[in-house]
Amino acid sequence: MSDAPSQDKDFKDTVNLPRTDFPMKGNLAQLEPRMLGWWAERGIWGKLLEKNAAGEPFVLPDGPPYANGHLHAGHALNKVLKDIVVKYRNLVGRHCDFIPGWDTHGLPIEQAVEKRLKDKKVDKRTLSRDAFLELCRAYALEFIDIQKTEFQRLGVFGSWEAPYKTLDFSYEAQEIRELAGFARRGMLYRRKKPVYWCLQDQTALAEAEVEYEEHESPSVYVAFPAGPELAERLPLLKGKAVDFAIWTTTPWTLPANLAIAVNPELEYVFYQLGARVICVAKDLLPKVLAEVKSDELAVKHVELPGGEVSAAALVDPARILAYARGEELEHLTYQHPFYERRGRILLGEHVTLDAGTGLVHTAPGHGQEDYEVGLRYGLDIYNPVRPDGRYDDTVGPALAGKRVFEANPLVIAVLVEKGALLNDAKDTVAHSYPHCWRCHNPIILSATYQWFIPMDAPFHGEKTFRQEVLAEVDKVRWVPSWGHSRIRGMLETRPDWTISRQRTWGVPICIAYCEGCDEALVSPELMEKVAQAVEQEGVGVWYRTPVKDFLPEGFACPRCGKGEFRRETDILDVWFDSACMFSAVLERRQRLPADLFLEGSDQHRGWFHSSMLVSVGTRDCSPYKACLTHGFVVDGKGEKMSKSLGNVVAPEKIINQYGAEVLRLWVAASDYRNDVRLSDQILKGLSEGYRKIRNTVRYALSNLYDFDPAKDAVPYARLSPLDQWALGRLAEVVARVKQAYEDYEFHLVYATVVDFCAGDLSAVYFDILKDRLYTWRKDGAPRRGAQTVLHEVASVLLRLLAPVMSFTAEEAWGFLPGKSTESVFLAGFPEPGTKLSPELAERYAKLFAVREAVQGVLEAARREKRIGASLEARVLLMASASVRDFLMQHLDELPGLFITSQVEVVDAEGIDAAVLDVTRVFGDGAKLLAEVKPAAGHKCPRCWTYSEAVGQGGDVCLKCREALAA
């Protein structure tokens, strides 16, 4: 090896060095706003829908975010996931019009408006209902504009100029029509019934509006003195002071106690506890004694084959005076511990041995099971708690006017005074307790008059509404699959749907009451007439128009014959609002059922749930074919984001620092089926992934500056085997990525493309290609073949990535020579090209295995200073017969693959030869050694390859002579 004699000639201008105006750095903070403007100016979204107008529709509705506040990371995750689906479906030719929407009614907006009024020192009570509704409407519209801009900044495509809003008059009217649909089927009823009640917001809550949090409550064991008839049934107890013992964590409900429930199948014992006898379930006696008088127990040790077992045992079993089955106790009476009121023992299957005493304190106004038992036995649904959470006067002067949670210690003090408390007054228990999802305060079950949709009413033939809903749930494709069991379990056990709310800002329950007898007039005809008026004037028309104007002239109450009516003032549950989207939007502007609902996993009890109920209730079918759910956004440690922890990452901050593109990559790269972690470290890692993809695209574009695909493309059959291999690998990537999009496994889209860019392309194909691109004849078939592949790689990658990396794909598309459309989104999704043949796949699996092994030897030679660049090397290969035959067949290709000047296959084993392991591809027994020697000849000043032709008839090597002669 030696350098050629010094030459004055500079060959730099003769080399085909890469060049492109596509920037190396994304500068996303500057690029993205420009791209948003370009999309809007060119009307790309409209053109995309027009292009696919004849295509099969794909309907992906927008589960409406609430029009209150700025976007958080959860919003970004959800909207970008939808955007990926929308763009992919449009790229494959489906007509997928994304109609953004907003949920605009309900308590948070009411409270926000009330706060603004308070800040301005305006008393809400001085405003008319119409005036307050208009303020709420204005507030919602204000935040719709804010959120719309923030969503668009993420690069989300959609019909932003024609969104749907639940405050639209047409939407409100359709919601009333859906209510009429339930009324027409006899699926509405009003009853005083326990519902979740928020004391802070003074309104009923739906199941979906309740969250469970850890809470510390009082733990009280209370003695209820048994009535005289007990001794008649159980003579052994004659003359004894017997108490029925109950356990509760809500002492404030004891004033409402009307009964005690026992399980008819359980066995109960009467135990002598000091001067009194207590009745508890036999199997719970040790646990109860441990809580109220632990010295009644002793630790008993029992020797078993597996070792000694310790258990609590009664000190004196003889203190059990009598036994009775639960059914034997039915209708016995007891004295309330602090009121002159007698209650009864009732039977209830809900009584278990899970906790307590086996006797359940029953207040029909404050518990669902209590209510059901009370109905069965004809008890009053007594609720002494007012909407503001204070007792009314029926509880007596000591408690009247007190807030229920503040009354707990007062009730306990009364129990102590009356000698009815069996355990320590300071005992507490930590347990899961329902809280309001808005104000996060503990809530109560409180019986109030509400409107309900019955789950177990006959619906079609012998089936109930619940059964029909479950049948439809079973037809839906759930992604992930566990979503099916989750929503099914919720629907199997959910109570009747409480659809009424005691608020102002919302869609009214259009029902009239007779002033004469208070009979409720549930009239679909009235609702339809109201809907017609609401479509023109909004929901305020219900409140300002006399009720009789919505009734036929001369209409009289069917029950009492009177003709004066008043209106219902409750509004519909906001979940009923958003649930009606399928009819207010899809049925009118798209089609039913939707192909996909895509929301967070909390929507199994929210929008998925309520939409299914309304659609089955009025249309007998599911509103969607498939449901996809994603997890919640958590911080890098997996902890829930909260302002108090200081770990909230706002989308705006990410966009300013990294760009929306990296935020989109975060969404695509995450396995959204679980909670999704977000941190600065994660975003930095994705920035590196973004850089790899961008550099890959840039490298391809930079070598296409003189390439016109219409004139210069080389047919597949004339491409080199290496080029055919690259296209074959690209075809495999297209197939995998397309399947990943179809399966909604977007993290596989990202992983597949990054691996392809970093592995097959950058580390192998591009590395090998450089010499051919830079130094071979400019218009020769080898270079044009490489450019043909690079053009296809760039075109395909940009279309594969457009749903995810929308800004970058569009930017790079503008630099692609010979592009067929102005936008990458109008170019269509690529189809897999020619498949990689098994023979070609095997050939390059072996060649690249040898290349990788030889690169290790070359690197060692570099470290030992025996060579500098790899082109200074001549590689000698010694191999066993089968390996040698293979290498000889592809000898001409080896220097290019190894990026060395020469490769020889020799017989003799050199003294410095290194053993290479290639058994993985050639099989056991395969032998290969490699030795690095200095390259023969002189260094070509143009391509830096060493050749014996340099200096012999020319200044450059033979390849460069041909290139220069062109």
Side-chain angles (χ1 to χ4, degrees), residues 62-66 103-108 164 166 171 175 178-179 182 204-211 436-438 453 494 497-501 505-507 571-583 597 599-615 623 632:
D62 192 19
Y66 198 71
D103 191 2
T104 57
H105 294 128
L107 186 63
Y164 78 88
T166 60
Y171 192 108
E175 188 174 339
E178 295 306 312
L179 184 68
F182 278 101
L205 300 175
E207 289 277 311
E209 298 170 313
V210 176
E211 295 176 342
C436 174
W437 74 327
R438 294 189 186 96
I453 291 174
R494 69 155 294 143
W497 186 3
T498 313
I499 61 168
S500 49
R501 295 292 181 274
W505 173 233
V507 175
I571 64 170
L572 282 162
D573 175 12
V574 290
W575 288 108
F576 196 97
D577 270 33
S578 56
C580 292
M581 186 274 237
F582 76 88
S583 59
F597 270 30
E599 302 297 332
S601 57
D602 56 335
Q603 297 308 312
H604 287 114
R605 64 173 186 159
W607 192 54
F608 300 158
H609 194 118
S610 58
S611 297
M612 179 68 77
L613 291 178
V614 175
S615 183
F632 297 102

Coordinates of all heavy atoms in Angstrom, one line a residue, residues 62-66 103-108 164 166 171 175 178-179 182 204-211 436-438 453 494 497-501 505-507 571-583 597 599-615 623 632:
D62 N -65.5 11.9 17.9 CA -64.8 12.6 19.0 C -65.5 12.6 20.3 O -66.5 13.3 20.4 CB -64.4 14.0 18.6 CG -63.4 14.6 19.5 OD1 -62.7 13.9 20.1 OD2 -63.3 15.9 19.5
G63 N -65.1 11.7 21.2 CA -65.7 11.8 22.6 C -65.4 13.1 23.1 O -64.2 13.5 23.3
P64 N -66.4 14.0 23.4 CA -66.1 15.4 23.6 C -65.4 15.7 24.8 O -65.8 15.3 25.9 CB -67.5 16.0 23.6 CG -68.4 14.9 24.1 CD -67.8 13.6 23.5
P65 N -64.3 16.5 24.7 CA -63.6 17.0 25.9 C -64.5 18.1 26.5 O -65.3 18.7 25.8 CB -62.3 17.5 25.4 CG -62.6 17.9 24.0 CD -63.6 16.9 23.5
Y66 N -64.3 18.4 27.8 CA -65.1 19.4 28.5 C -64.5 20.8 28.2 O -63.3 21.0 28.2 CB -65.1 19.1 30.0 CG -66.3 19.8 30.6 CD1 -67.6 19.4 30.4 CD2 -66.0 20.9 31.4 CE1 -68.6 20.1 31.0 CE2 -67.1 21.6 32.0 CZ -68.4 21.2 31.8 OH -69.4 21.9 32.4
D103 N -68.1 18.9 25.0 CA -69.1 18.7 26.0 C -69.2 20.1 26.8 O -68.2 20.5 27.3 CB -68.6 17.6 27.0 CG -69.7 17.2 27.9 OD1 -70.8 17.7 27.8 OD2 -69.4 16.3 28.7
T104 N -70.4 20.7 26.8 CA -70.4 22.1 27.2 C -71.4 22.4 28.3 O -71.4 23.5 28.8 CB -70.8 23.0 26.0 OG1 -72.1 22.5 25.5 CG2 -69.8 22.9 24.9
H105 N -72.2 21.4 28.8 CA -73.1 21.7 29.9 C -72.5 21.2 31.2 O -71.5 20.5 31.2 CB -74.4 21.0 29.6 CG -75.2 21.5 28.4 ND1 -75.7 20.7 27.4 CD2 -75.5 22.8 28.1 CE1 -76.3 21.5 26.5 NE2 -76.2 22.7 26.9
G106 N -73.2 21.5 32.3 CA -72.8 20.9 33.5 C -72.2 21.8 34.6 O -72.0 23.0 34.4
L107 N -71.9 21.2 35.7 CA -71.6 21.9 36.9 C -70.3 22.7 36.8 O -70.2 23.9 37.3 CB -71.5 20.9 38.1 CG -71.2 21.5 39.4 CD1 -72.4 22.3 39.9 CD2 -71.1 20.3 40.4
P108 N -69.2 22.2 36.3 CA -67.9 23.0 36.3 C -68.1 24.4 35.6 O -67.5 25.3 36.1 CB -66.9 22.1 35.5 CG -67.5 20.7 35.7 CD -68.9 20.8 35.7
Y164 N -68.9 19.9 16.4 CA -70.2 19.8 17.1 C -70.0 20.3 18.6 O -69.0 20.1 19.1 CB -70.8 18.4 17.0 CG -70.2 17.4 18.0 CD1 -70.7 17.2 19.3 CD2 -69.1 16.6 17.6 CE1 -70.1 16.3 20.2 CE2 -68.6 15.6 18.4 CZ -69.1 15.5 19.7 OH -68.5 14.6 20.6
T166 N -72.3 20.4 22.4 CA -73.6 19.9 23.0 C -74.5 21.1 23.3 O -75.6 20.9 23.7 CB -73.3 19.1 24.3 OG1 -72.6 19.9 25.2 CG2 -72.5 17.9 23.9
Y171 N -78.4 20.2 18.6 CA -77.9 19.0 19.5 C -78.8 18.9 20.7 O -79.3 17.8 21.1 CB -76.5 19.3 19.9 CG -75.8 18.1 20.6 CD1 -74.8 17.4 19.9 CD2 -76.2 17.6 21.9 CE1 -74.2 16.3 20.5 CE2 -75.6 16.5 22.4 CZ -74.6 15.8 21.7 OH -74.0 14.7 22.3
E175 N -81.3 15.7 21.8 CA -81.2 15.1 23.1 C -82.6 14.9 23.7 O -82.9 13.9 24.3 CB -80.3 15.9 24.0 CG -79.9 15.3 25.3 CD -78.9 16.1 26.1 OE1 -78.2 16.9 25.5 OE2 -78.9 15.9 27.3
E178 N -84.2 12.1 22.1 CA -83.8 10.8 22.6 C -84.5 10.5 23.9 O -84.9 9.4 24.2 CB -82.3 10.8 22.8 CG -81.5 10.9 21.6 CD -81.8 9.9 20.5 OE1 -81.9 8.7 20.9 OE2 -82.0 10.2 19.4
L179 N -84.7 11.5 24.8 CA -85.4 11.4 26.0 C -86.9 10.9 25.7 O -87.4 10.0 26.4 CB -85.4 12.7 26.8 CG -86.1 12.6 28.2 CD1 -85.3 11.7 29.1 CD2 -86.3 14.0 28.8
F182 N -87.1 7.2 25.1 CA -87.2 6.4 26.3 C -88.7 6.5 26.8 O -89.2 5.5 27.3 CB -86.2 6.9 27.3 CG -84.8 6.3 27.2 CD1 -83.8 7.1 26.6 CD2 -84.5 5.0 27.6 CE1 -82.6 6.6 26.4 CE2 -83.3 4.5 27.4 CZ -82.3 5.3 26.8
A204 N -77.3 15.3 42.5 CA -77.1 13.8 42.3 C -76.0 13.6 41.4 O -75.6 14.4 40.5 CB -78.4 13.2 41.8
L205 N -75.3 12.4 41.6 CA -74.2 12.0 40.7 C -74.5 10.7 40.1 O -75.1 9.8 40.7 CB -72.9 11.9 41.6 CG -72.4 13.2 42.3 CD1 -71.2 12.9 43.2 CD2 -72.1 14.3 41.3
A206 N -74.0 10.5 38.9 CA -74.1 9.2 38.2 C -72.9 8.4 38.7 O -71.9 8.9 39.3 CB -74.0 9.4 36.7
E207 N -73.0 7.1 38.4 CA -71.9 6.2 38.7 C -70.5 6.7 38.2 O -69.5 6.6 38.8 CB -72.2 4.8 38.1 CG -73.3 4.0 38.8 CD -72.8 3.3 40.1 OE1 -71.8 2.6 40.0 OE2 -73.5 3.5 41.1
A208 N -70.6 7.2 37.0 CA -69.4 7.6 36.3 C -68.8 8.9 36.9 O -67.7 9.3 36.6 CB -69.6 7.9 34.8
E209 N -69.5 9.5 37.8 CA -69.1 10.8 38.5 C -68.6 10.5 39.9 O -68.3 11.5 40.6 CB -70.2 11.8 38.5 CG -70.6 12.2 37.1 CD -71.9 13.0 37.1 OE1 -72.9 12.7 37.8 OE2 -71.9 14.1 36.4
V210 N -68.4 9.2 40.2 CA -68.0 8.9 41.6 C -66.6 8.2 41.5 O -66.3 7.4 40.7 CB -69.0 7.9 42.2 CG1 -68.5 7.4 43.6 CG2 -70.3 8.5 42.3
E211 N -65.7 8.7 42.3 CA -64.4 8.1 42.5 C -64.2 7.6 43.9 O -64.8 8.2 44.8 CB -63.3 9.2 42.2 CG -63.3 9.7 40.8 CD -62.3 10.8 40.6 OE1 -61.8 11.4 41.6 OE2 -61.9 11.1 39.4
C436 N -66.8 12.8 45.2 CA -67.2 13.4 44.0 C -66.0 13.6 43.1 O -65.0 14.1 43.5 CB -67.9 14.8 44.3 SG -68.3 15.8 42.9
W437 N -66.2 13.3 41.8 CA -65.0 13.4 40.9 C -64.7 14.9 40.6 O -63.6 15.2 40.1 CB -65.3 12.7 39.6 CG -66.3 13.3 38.7 CD1 -67.4 14.1 39.0 CD2 -66.3 13.2 37.3 NE1 -68.1 14.5 37.9 CE2 -67.4 14.0 36.8 CE3 -65.5 12.6 36.3 CZ2 -67.8 14.1 35.4 CZ3 -65.8 12.7 35.0 CH2 -66.9 13.5 34.6
R438 N -65.6 15.8 40.9 CA -65.3 17.2 40.6 C -64.7 17.9 41.8 O -63.6 18.5 41.6 CB -66.6 17.9 40.2 CG -67.2 17.4 38.9 CD -68.4 18.4 38.5 NE -69.1 17.8 37.3 CZ -70.2 17.1 37.4 NH1 -70.7 16.8 38.5 NH2 -70.7 16.6 36.3
I453 N -83.8 5.8 34.5 CA -84.0 4.8 33.4 C -83.8 3.5 34.1 O -82.7 3.2 34.6 CB -83.0 5.0 32.3 CG1 -83.4 6.4 31.5 CG2 -83.1 3.9 31.3 CD1 -82.4 6.7 30.5
R494 N -74.6 -2.4 37.6 CA -74.9 -1.0 37.8 C -76.4 -0.9 38.2 O -77.3 -1.6 37.8 CB -74.7 -0.2 36.6 CG -75.6 -0.4 35.4 CD -75.7 0.8 34.5 NE -76.3 1.9 35.2 CZ -76.0 3.2 35.1 NH1 -75.0 3.5 34.3 NH2 -76.6 4.1 35.7
W497 N -80.2 4.0 36.1 CA -79.5 5.3 35.7 C -80.3 6.5 36.2 O -81.4 6.7 35.8 CB -79.4 5.3 34.2 CG -78.5 6.5 33.7 CD1 -77.8 7.4 34.4 CD2 -78.2 6.8 32.3 NE1 -77.2 8.3 33.6 CE2 -77.4 7.9 32.3 CE3 -78.6 6.2 31.1 CZ2 -76.9 8.5 31.2 CZ3 -78.2 6.8 29.9 CH2 -77.3 7.9 30.0
T498 N -79.6 7.2 37.2 CA -80.2 8.5 37.6 C -79.9 9.5 36.6 O -78.7 10.0 36.5 CB -79.6 8.9 39.0 OG1 -79.6 7.7 39.9 CG2 -80.3 10.0 39.6
I499 N -80.9 10.0 35.9 CA -80.6 10.9 34.8 C -80.9 12.4 35.1 O -80.6 13.3 34.3 CB -81.4 10.6 33.5 CG1 -82.9 10.6 33.8 CG2 -81.0 9.2 33.0 CD1 -83.8 10.5 32.5
S500 N -81.4 12.6 36.3 CA -81.8 14.0 36.7 C -80.7 14.7 37.5 O -80.0 14.0 38.3 CB -83.1 14.1 37.5 OG -83.1 13.1 38.5
R501 N -80.5 16.0 37.3 CA -79.5 16.8 38.1 C -80.2 18.1 38.5 O -80.9 18.7 37.8 CB -78.3 17.1 37.2 CG -77.5 15.9 36.8 CD -76.8 15.2 38.1 NE -76.0 14.1 37.7 CZ -76.5 12.8 37.5 NH1 -77.8 12.6 37.7 NH2 -75.7 11.8 37.2
W505 N -77.5 24.8 34.2 CA -76.9 24.8 32.9 C -76.9 23.4 32.3 O -76.0 22.6 32.6 CB -75.5 25.4 32.9 CG -74.6 25.4 31.7 CD1 -73.4 24.8 31.5 CD2 -75.0 25.9 30.4 NE1 -73.0 25.0 30.2 CE2 -73.9 25.6 29.5 CE3 -76.2 26.5 29.9 CZ2 -74.0 26.0 28.2 CZ3 -76.2 26.9 28.6 CH2 -75.1 26.6 27.7
G506 N -77.9 23.2 31.5 CA -78.0 21.9 30.8 C -79.3 21.7 30.1 O -80.1 22.7 29.9
V507 N -79.6 20.6 29.6 CA -80.8 20.3 28.8 C -81.9 19.9 29.8 O -81.7 18.9 30.6 CB -80.5 19.2 27.7 CG1 -81.8 18.8 27.0 CG2 -79.4 19.7 26.8
I571 N -82.3 19.2 35.2 CA -81.7 19.0 33.9 C -81.2 17.6 33.8 O -81.1 16.8 34.8 CB -80.5 20.0 33.7 CG1 -79.4 19.7 34.6 CG2 -81.0 21.4 33.7 CD1 -78.1 20.5 34.3
L572 N -80.8 17.2 32.5 CA -80.4 15.8 32.3 C -78.9 15.7 32.7 O -78.1 16.7 32.6 CB -80.5 15.5 30.8 CG -81.9 15.1 30.3 CD1 -82.0 15.3 28.8 CD2 -82.3 13.7 30.8
D573 N -78.6 14.5 33.1 CA -77.2 14.1 33.4 C -76.3 14.5 32.2 O -76.7 14.2 31.1 CB -77.1 12.6 33.7 CG -75.8 12.1 33.9 OD1 -74.8 12.9 34.0 OD2 -75.6 10.8 33.9
V574 N -75.1 15.1 32.4 CA -74.3 15.4 31.3 C -73.8 14.2 30.5 O -73.4 14.3 29.4 CB -73.1 16.3 31.7 CG1 -73.5 17.7 32.2 CG2 -72.3 15.6 32.8
W575 N -73.8 13.0 31.2 CA -73.5 11.8 30.4 C -74.5 11.5 29.4 O -74.2 10.9 28.4 CB -73.2 10.7 31.4 CG -71.9 10.8 32.1 CD1 -71.8 11.1 33.4 CD2 -70.6 10.7 31.6 NE1 -70.4 11.2 33.8 CE2 -69.7 11.0 32.7 CE3 -70.1 10.5 30.3 CZ2 -68.3 11.0 32.5 CZ3 -68.7 10.5 30.2 CH2 -67.8 10.7 31.3
F576 N -75.8 11.9 29.7 CA -76.8 11.7 28.7 C -76.6 12.7 27.6 O -76.8 12.3 26.4 CB -78.2 12.0 29.4 CG -79.4 11.5 28.6 CD1 -80.0 10.2 28.8 CD2 -79.9 12.2 27.5 CE1 -81.0 9.8 28.1 CE2 -81.0 11.8 26.8 CZ -81.6 10.6 27.1
D577 N -76.1 13.9 27.9 CA -75.7 14.9 26.9 C -74.8 14.2 25.9 O -75.1 14.2 24.7 CB -75.0 16.0 27.5 CG -75.9 17.2 28.0 OD1 -77.0 16.9 28.4 OD2 -75.4 18.3 27.9
S578 N -73.6 13.9 26.3 CA -72.6 13.4 25.4 C -72.9 12.1 24.7 O -72.5 11.8 23.6 CB -71.2 13.3 26.1 OG -71.3 12.4 27.3
A579 N -73.8 11.3 25.4 CA -74.2 10.0 24.9 C -75.0 10.2 23.6 O -75.0 9.3 22.7 CB -75.0 9.2 25.9
C580 N -75.7 11.3 23.5 CA -76.6 11.6 22.3 C -75.8 12.0 21.1 O -76.4 12.3 20.1 CB -77.6 12.6 22.7 SG -78.8 12.0 23.9
M581 N -74.5 12.1 21.2 CA -73.7 12.4 20.0 C -74.0 11.5 18.8 O -74.0 12.0 17.7 CB -72.2 12.4 20.4 CG -71.3 12.9 19.3 SD -70.9 11.6 18.2 CE -69.2 11.7 18.3
F582 N -74.2 10.2 19.1 CA -74.4 9.3 18.0 C -75.6 9.7 17.1 O -75.6 9.5 15.9 CB -74.6 7.9 18.5 CG -75.9 7.6 19.1 CD1 -77.0 7.1 18.3 CD2 -76.2 7.8 20.5 CE1 -78.2 6.9 18.9 CE2 -77.4 7.6 21.0 CZ -78.5 7.1 20.2
S583 N -76.6 10.3 17.8 CA -77.8 10.7 17.0 C -77.7 12.1 16.5 O -78.2 12.4 15.4 CB -79.1 10.4 17.8 OG -79.1 11.2 19.0
F597 N -64.9 3.8 18.6 CA -64.8 4.8 19.7 C -63.4 4.7 20.3 O -63.0 3.6 20.6 CB -65.9 4.5 20.7 CG -67.2 5.2 20.5 CD1 -67.7 5.4 19.2 CD2 -68.1 5.5 21.6 CE1 -68.9 6.0 19.0 CE2 -69.3 6.1 21.3 CZ -69.7 6.4 20.1
E599 N -61.2 6.3 23.4 CA -61.1 7.2 24.6 C -60.3 6.6 25.7 O -59.8 5.4 25.6 CB -62.5 7.6 25.1 CG -63.4 8.2 24.1 CD -62.9 9.6 23.6 OE1 -62.2 10.3 24.4 OE2 -63.3 9.9 22.5
G600 N -60.1 7.3 26.8 CA -59.4 6.7 28.0 C -60.2 5.6 28.6 O -61.4 5.5 28.5
S601 N -59.4 4.8 29.4 CA -60.0 3.6 30.0 C -61.1 4.0 31.0 O -61.9 3.1 31.4 CB -59.0 2.7 30.7 OG -58.2 3.5 31.6
D602 N -61.2 5.2 31.5 CA -62.2 5.6 32.4 C -63.6 5.7 31.7 O -64.6 5.7 32.4 CB -61.9 6.9 33.1 CG -61.7 8.1 32.1 OD1 -61.3 7.8 31.0 OD2 -61.9 9.2 32.5
Q603 N -63.6 5.7 30.4 CA -64.8 5.8 29.7 C -65.6 4.5 29.6 O -66.7 4.5 29.1 CB -64.6 6.4 28.3 CG -64.0 7.7 28.3 CD -64.8 8.7 29.2 OE1 -66.0 8.8 29.1 NE2 -64.1 9.5 30.0
H604 N -65.1 3.4 30.1 CA -65.9 2.2 30.2 C -67.1 2.4 31.1 O -68.2 1.9 30.9 CB -65.1 1.0 30.9 CG -64.1 0.5 29.9 ND1 -62.7 0.6 30.1 CD2 -64.2 -0.2 28.7 CE1 -62.1 0.0 29.1 NE2 -62.9 -0.5 28.3
R605 N -66.9 3.3 32.1 CA -68.1 3.7 32.9 C -68.6 5.1 32.6 O -69.5 5.6 33.2 CB -67.7 3.7 34.4 CG -66.6 4.7 34.8 CD -66.4 4.7 36.3 NE -65.5 5.8 36.7 CZ -65.4 6.3 37.9 NH1 -66.2 5.9 38.8 NH2 -64.6 7.3 38.2
G606 N -68.0 5.7 31.5 CA -68.4 7.0 31.1 C -69.1 7.0 29.7 O -70.2 6.4 29.6
W607 N -68.4 7.5 28.7 CA -69.0 7.8 27.4 C -69.3 6.5 26.7 O -70.4 6.4 26.1 CB -68.1 8.6 26.6 CG -68.7 9.2 25.3 CD1 -69.8 9.9 25.2 CD2 -68.1 9.1 24.0 NE1 -70.0 10.2 23.9 CE2 -69.0 9.7 23.2 CE3 -67.0 8.5 23.5 CZ2 -68.8 9.8 21.8 CZ3 -66.7 8.6 22.1 CH2 -67.6 9.2 21.3
F608 N -68.4 5.5 26.7 CA -68.7 4.2 26.1 C -70.0 3.6 26.7 O -70.9 3.1 26.0 CB -67.6 3.1 26.4 CG -66.3 3.5 25.9 CD1 -65.1 2.9 26.4 CD2 -66.1 4.4 24.8 CE1 -63.9 3.2 25.9 CE2 -64.9 4.7 24.3 CZ -63.7 4.1 24.9
H609 N -70.1 3.7 28.0 CA -71.2 3.2 28.8 C -72.5 3.9 28.5 O -73.5 3.2 28.2 CB -70.8 3.4 30.3 CG -71.6 2.6 31.3 ND1 -71.0 1.6 32.1 CD2 -72.9 2.6 31.6 CE1 -72.0 1.2 32.9 NE2 -73.1 1.7 32.6
S610 N -72.5 5.2 28.7 CA -73.8 6.0 28.5 C -74.2 5.9 27.0 O -75.4 5.9 26.7 CB -73.6 7.4 29.0 OG -72.5 8.0 28.3
S611 N -73.3 6.0 26.1 CA -73.6 6.0 24.7 C -74.3 4.6 24.3 O -75.3 4.6 23.6 CB -72.4 6.1 23.8 OG -71.8 7.4 24.0
M612 N -73.8 3.6 24.9 CA -74.4 2.2 24.7 C -75.8 2.2 25.2 O -76.8 1.7 24.6 CB -73.5 1.2 25.3 CG -74.1 -0.3 25.2 SD -74.1 -0.9 23.5 CE -72.3 -1.3 23.3
L613 N -76.0 2.8 26.4 CA -77.3 2.7 27.0 C -78.4 3.5 26.2 O -79.5 3.1 26.0 CB -77.3 3.3 28.5 CG -76.5 2.5 29.5 CD1 -76.5 3.2 30.8 CD2 -77.1 1.1 29.7
V614 N -78.0 4.7 25.8 CA -78.9 5.6 25.0 C -79.2 4.9 23.6 O -80.4 4.9 23.2 CB -78.4 7.0 24.9 CG1 -79.4 7.8 24.0 CG2 -78.3 7.6 26.3
S615 N -78.2 4.5 23.0 CA -78.4 3.9 21.6 C -79.2 2.7 21.7 O -80.1 2.5 20.9 CB -77.0 3.6 21.0 OG -77.2 3.1 19.7
P623 N -73.9 1.9 19.3 CA -73.5 3.0 18.5 C -72.1 2.8 17.8 O -71.7 3.7 17.1 CB -73.6 4.2 19.4 CG -73.2 3.6 20.7 CD -73.7 2.2 20.8
F632 N -53.9 6.3 31.4 CA -53.8 7.7 31.8 C -52.3 8.1 31.7 O -51.4 7.2 31.7 CB -54.2 7.8 33.3 CG -55.7 7.5 33.5 CD1 -56.1 6.3 34.0 CD2 -56.6 8.5 33.1 CE1 -57.4 6.1 34.2 CE2 -58.0 8.2 33.3 CZ -58.4 7.0 33.9

